[in-house]
Amino acid sequence: MENKSEPTVNKNQKKANLLDHHSIKHILDESVSEIVASRGYAEDVRMSNVRLFLGTVIIAVALVAQFYKKKFPENRDFLIGCIYVVLNVVLQLIIFIKEKNAILFTYPPKVNFVLPVITDPYLC
């Protein structure tokens, strides 16, 4: 007979603050990502790369606006037009339209489909 008194310990056990719903969601998202990755799905990071690139462009425009040759009251339209309105709206539209609360984007699994060979002439 097996000894049932020994507790089973999960090697990937994660702890979260039960009063913090963000940490619970983070743990659930990590767990789902690990399960999906273990099933052979490769992560598609193209959307994350687009968001990082767009964020870098926003920071570069902010630096240009910071060191613009005109002082603040005169370059106000430039700041509002380039940084806060146009680029951040584009970034938020990408997040809202493309991601839609997705946890993980994956490529389709690589499956080799083998067609059966029919050798019985009566089944054709």
Side-chain angles (χ1 to χ4, degrees), residues 6-22:
E6 295 179 17
T8 58
V9 178
N10 189 358
K11 293 179 183 177
N12 295 330
Q13 187 175 19
K14 298 175 183 174
K15 295 182 181 181
N17 183 2
L18 296 179
L19 300 176
D20 183 13
H21 65 278
H22 292 292

Side-chain angles (χ1 to χ4, degrees), residues 45-94:
V45 293
R46 288 180 292 183
M47 187 60 62
S48 296
N49 291 342
V50 168
R51 284 184 19 225
L52 286 172
F53 176 73
L54 191 58
T56 304
V57 169
I58 290 171
I59 291 171
V61 170
L63 286 173
V64 168
Q66 176 70 30
F67 299 110
Y68 196 62
K69 58 186 171 184
K70 294 182 179 179
K71 296 295 178 189
F72 172 66
E74 295 142 9
N75 70 349
R76 186 175 187 161
D77 296 333
F78 177 75
L79 287 171
I80 291 173
C82 288
I83 299 170
Y84 297 110
V85 177
V86 177
L87 295 175
N88 283 319
V89 167
V90 169
L91 184 62
Q92 292 300 319
L93 282 174
I94 288 173

